[in-house]
Amino acid sequence: MALTPQDLFVILRDFSGLTQVLIPQDETERNLKATLCELTVESVIRVTGTVRRRPDGQENKEMPTGQIEVLVESVEVLNVCKKLPFEIKDFVKKSESLRMQYRYLDLRSSQMQCNLRLRSQLVMKMREYLCNIHGFVDVETPTLFKRTPGGAKEFVVPSREPGLFYSLPQSPQQFKQLLMVAGIDRYFQLARCYRDEGSKPDRQPEFTQVDIEMSFVDQLGVMALVEGLLQYSWPTGKGPINVPFQTMTYEEAMRDYGVDKPDTRFNMKLIDISEVFWNTDIEFLKSALDQPGGSVHAICVPSGVKHFKGKDLEALKQTAKTQFGQELSTVLVKADGTLKAPLSKLLSVSATEQLLNRTGAKPGDLLLITANSLNTVRPLLGRLRLLCAELLESHGVPIRDPSAFQFLWVVDFPLFLPKDEEPGQLESAHHPFTALVPEDTELLYTEPHKVRGQHYDLVLNGCEIGGGSIRIHKASEQLHVLKNILKEDPSLLTHLLEALDSGAPPHGGIALGLDRLVSIMVRAPSIRDVIAFPKSFRGHDLMSQAPDYVSDEELKSYHISVNWPTESKGEEGVGDKEMAMTEGVLKPSRASVTWTTDKKG
């Protein structure tokens, strides 16, 4: 409830919107008027009265109910609201931490109400499509599981048996494959998933995915199903989406956009200009081209000379240096077609013409040039391409249509990639259960780094909203991948290997990130804006102060004790344990965990 300064009417709000309630001004109704005028904003009342059309000239075209008002006959005060930490108005700026701390108030805003109700409607339509139209079975899978080889870090949950822990699943991957072995040939669920990862705007430690698996299906079958699912469930207010979606190979995405989840709403593609510099005497270019896989690449920023200031160019160079350890050359194309850059003094007239022709640069454009191996220059320019789009938009140049929804399938990923920390070792590009492209079967046993996987990602406006694959359905092939290529302990997956050896059908599936999909639909800056009770950037629940401290007595039943380092003190000589108790947070990074018994489970 909101009261007007003139005490003439109050505004009532519920989930459906706002309604103006007229306060009686008659002397006979002074008690009723006093009751309403003394109430605080956000109090809860029940009003009985007559709905009538507003007098001519008093209509409010900005309100859906602006043509009518309610003349009060009686009021029941159900709850009086205390003074709140912020006003419940969308235009009132609130810090992220304050919104998280008082989430139950933040959820009253019209935007959050809209987001959660749209999400609910989307989920209902998805259930209709999968269950009623395509015969899928909604199956709930366990939350308490065991550690999975590879992938993201997992949350562990202690059991009452010494040394034995559960893990919260990153996804229901193994269970849905086991359901295919069990004959549940079409499975889906809205799955809760958990990953102990660093905080990012589009990540949460717990999240929801639309999890799908099918038997006797190929890659095109999964993709067609997902396109139909999204087309059927897509909110009408967001405009229609066209199927089939565009498809691009992993190599094409990296070649043209420098990332495996390209935003195709704008051009500004990467350009290989190595040919321009084959015979160059410019040392850093020559050095790059002389190394195996070396290349020189550029992106052309339209009207970059006009819109980018010196600080913008410096920011781009700093990004290249700090995030990629790479030098970046900036070349400005002046109005007369000549180049302004230290590099231009070392270029011949013919090389300058070739550069302009190859890049398509026009007067006023900006060229960003870098040289190194393909594995370095492509991700670097892919990152700078997005930064340039943001910079241009910050200067009022329209680059990406905010109302557009550009879907894209990315296919033909490599099955394995070199490990960052150990380039000589391989890790799964997707996960260890992805099947290879049949044409690459021989390479699996001879040159596994060249094998392509039957893995497909769904990208929307430059964000990955889904990923899936056709699975390995033969135990011998799965064992070879785990043991000989990934160097993982196959005993952790004995149950799955035995199942695959028990008549497993060919199968495949996909998981769609529901939080991320909805956040893009409503143009939210973070997935936290489409989750009712999300965690903070650090993974904390600021409302309930979780994670919380657990006492030594409570830990005894789990055979765990925490050794707090005595040498580490807080700002005023307070030890780590005392700090944790004060903050209500147990900090594993500041403590070591030991068993209270040497017995193994």
Side-chain angles (χ1 to χ4, degrees):
M1 187 207 80
L3 191 68
T4 61
Q6 298 84 4
D7 295 344
L8 297 177
F9 58 86
V10 296
I11 301 297
L12 283 187
R13 184 192 70 241
D14 64 9
F15 75 92
S16 63
L18 306 175
T19 303
Q20 178 173 292
V21 176
L22 199 63
I23 301 175
Q25 301 299 312
D26 297 342
E27 186 63 24
T28 56
E29 303 288 353
R30 59 184 174 186
N31 290 337
L32 184 59
K33 179 178 180 180
T35 299
L36 287 171
C37 292
E38 290 170 4
L39 285 175
T40 55
V41 173
E42 295 295 310
S43 292
V44 184
I45 62 176
R46 178 183 291 124
V47 171
T48 303
T50 303
V51 178
R52 69 181 191 183
R53 183 177 295 277
R54 293 193 192 185
D56 290 341
Q58 295 184 18
E59 300 89 348
N60 185 346
K61 296 181 179 179
E62 302 300 320
M63 283 178 67
T65 59
Q67 300 296 318
I68 58 98
E69 60 188 5
V70 178
L71 182 61
V72 179
E73 296 171 1
S74 66
V75 173
E76 181 182 357
V77 179
L78 302 175
N79 206 330
V80 177
C81 182
K82 67 176 184 178
K83 182 175 174 58
L84 300 180
F86 54 80
E87 291 186 81
I88 312 299
K89 294 179 179 177
D90 289 334
F91 61 81
V92 174
K93 298 296 182 182
K94 305 171 283 285
S95 68
E96 183 80 2
S97 59
L98 193 64
R99 292 180 62 202
M100 296 297 103
Q101 184 179 356
Y102 298 98
R103 190 60 166 180
Y104 48 87
L105 297 179
D106 186 54
L107 290 177
R108 293 181 184 178
S109 71
S110 60
Q111 186 60 62
M112 290 303 301
Q113 288 278 321
C114 178
N115 291 353
L116 294 184
R117 292 177 189 279
L118 182 142
R119 177 181 175 131
S120 174
Q121 294 162 7
L122 177 73
V123 167
M124 183 60 69
K125 294 286 285 184
M126 287 181 164
R127 287 187 184 277
E128 285 179 11
Y129 183 82
L130 291 171
C131 293
N132 298 346
I133 298 177
H134 286 278
F136 278 75
V137 183
D138 186 349
V139 182
E140 297 175 357
T141 54
T143 297
L144 295 176
F145 193 40
K146 64 182 293 185
R147 187 173 68 85
T148 302
K153 291 183 179 179
E154 296 171 330
F155 289 101
V156 294
V157 180
S159 73
R160 295 182 184 273
E161 298 182 55
L164 297 184
F165 288 80
Y166 297 104
S167 283
L168 301 183
Q170 302 174 37
S171 76
Q173 181 61 47
Q174 294 181 51
F175 287 112
K176 63 182 180 180
Q177 290 193 242
L178 293 171
L179 286 170
M180 297 303 105
V181 180
I184 308 295
D185 61 335
R186 292 194 165 203
Y187 142 92
F188 102 97
Q189 73 167 315
L190 290 174
R192 297 294 287 167
C193 304
Y194 308 87
R195 292 179 187 174
D196 189 7
E197 297 182 319
S199 297
K200 297 177 182 178
D202 59 347
R203 295 287 175 91
Q204 282 275 294
E206 52 181 327
F207 56 96
T208 305
Q209 64 185 35
V210 183
D211 205 48
I212 296 171
E213 197 80 4
M214 293 182 282
S215 295
F216 306 107
V217 71
D218 58 15
Q219 179 171 304
L220 293 177
V222 176
M223 291 162 64
L225 177 89
V226 171
E227 290 173 357
L229 171 67
L230 289 172
Q231 191 176 44
Y232 182 87
S233 59
W234 197 254
T236 54
K238 300 297 177 181
I241 57 175
N242 299 318
V243 297
F245 300 154
Q246 179 186 355
T247 300
M248 182 182 298
T249 67
Y250 170 82
E251 174 57 29
E252 289 170 340
M254 295 302 297
R255 180 196 68 201
D256 292 342
Y257 300 96
V259 292
D260 59 6
K261 48 182 180 182
D263 189 340
T264 55
R265 288 176 296 171
F266 69 107
N267 199 15
M268 217 185 299
K269 293 182 180 180
L270 278 60
I271 308 162
D272 188 342
I273 55 173
S274 301
E275 289 184 4
V276 177
F277 300 102
W278 279 134
N279 301 314
T280 187
D281 292 325
I282 303 173
E283 185 55 37
F284 81 95
L285 297 177
K286 188 175 186 299
S287 175
L289 291 171
D290 285 344
Q291 66 173 299
S295 71
V296 183
H297 273 63
I299 57 174
C300 179
V301 183
S303 303
V305 174
K306 175 183 177 182
H307 297 290
F308 285 9
K309 311 300 181 186
K311 64 177 182 179
D312 296 327
L313 299 179
E314 188 58 35
L316 295 172
K317 290 180 180 180
Q318 279 298 112
T319 298
K321 183 173 290 187
T322 57
Q323 296 184 19
F324 297 88
Q326 186 71 17
E327 294 295 327
L328 179 71
S329 297
T330 57
V331 178
L332 286 68
V333 184
K334 296 194 291 187
D336 60 2
T338 59
L339 307 183
K340 180 183 178 182
L343 182 68
S344 64
K345 300 174 184 178
L346 305 174
L347 291 177
S348 65
V349 174
S350 63
T352 300
E353 290 178 354
Q354 288 183 60
L355 177 62
L356 293 175
N357 289 334
R358 183 76 183 91
T359 59
K362 300 178 177 61
D365 290 349
L366 169 69
L367 293 176
L368 304 179
I369 299 175
T370 188
N372 206 318
S373 66
L374 281 178
N375 291 337
T376 299
V377 300
R378 283 177 170 177
L380 165 57
L381 290 179
R383 175 66 182 141
L384 296 184
R385 173 179 177 267
L386 295 174
L387 287 178
C388 288
E390 292 173 8
L391 284 170
L392 287 171
E393 288 172 342
S394 71
H395 292 300
V397 182
I399 297 295
R400 297 170 291 192
D401 183 356
S403 64
F405 295 100
Q406 199 78 28
F407 286 94
L408 170 73
W409 288 108
V410 180
V411 300
D412 287 351
F413 283 80
L415 189 58
F416 308 109
L417 292 172
K419 284 186 175 181
D420 291 335
E421 62 276 12
E422 299 176 74
Q425 294 291 324
L426 295 176
E427 63 182 357
S428 296
H430 188 212
H431 58 53
F433 314 114
T434 300
L436 73 159
V437 173
E439 293 83 359
D440 294 350
T441 300
E442 289 301 319
L443 293 174
L444 183 67
Y445 302 93
T446 57
E447 299 177 281
H449 62 282
K450 294 183 178 180
V451 176
R452 293 166 296 163
Q454 293 190 65
H455 167 197
Y456 32 86
D457 276 355
L458 182 59
V459 178
L460 173 58
N461 293 356
C463 295
E464 180 191 335
I465 62 164
S469 67
I470 302 302
R471 324 299 186 187
I472 297 172
H473 70 280
K474 294 182 179 178
S476 58
E477 186 176 310
Q478 185 68 79
L479 180 63
H480 174 74
V481 168
L482 291 169
K483 185 177 180 180
N484 301 325
I485 298 178
L486 300 178
K487 311 299 182 185
E488 296 282 2
D489 180 5
S491 66
L492 294 171
L493 293 168
T494 299
H495 57 285
L496 180 63
L497 292 170
E498 288 182 351
L500 294 180
D501 234 357
S502 303
H507 56 281
I510 193 169
L512 301 176
L514 181 64
D515 308 310
R516 198 172 306 174
L517 174 62
V518 177
S519 71
I520 296 172
M521 280 184 179
V522 300
R523 303 180 201 167
S526 166
I527 63 172
R528 289 191 288 274
D529 289 326
V530 298
I531 300 172
F533 297 100
K535 299 297 185 290
S536 71
F537 189 76
R538 293 178 56 204
H540 291 183
D541 182 346
L542 301 183
M543 182 180 64
S544 67
Q545 296 300 306
D548 200 1
Y549 174 76
V550 179
S551 69
D552 294 340
E553 186 63 32
E554 291 173 299
L555 287 174
K556 280 184 181 179
S557 61
Y558 299 104
H559 310 280
I560 294 174
S561 65
V562 179
N563 296 327
W564 298 97
T566 55
E567 66 277 7
S568 175
K569 298 290 183 180
E571 291 182 0
E572 299 180 4
V574 181
D576 280 329
K577 181 176 180 180
E578 288 75 14
M579 288 179 65
M581 294 178 70
T582 302
E583 297 176 12
V585 176
L586 177 67
K587 292 179 167 52
S589 60
R590 291 171 143 187
S592 59
V593 179
T594 59
W595 310 116
T596 56
T597 174
D598 292 328
K599 182 181 178 181
K600 296 289 185 182

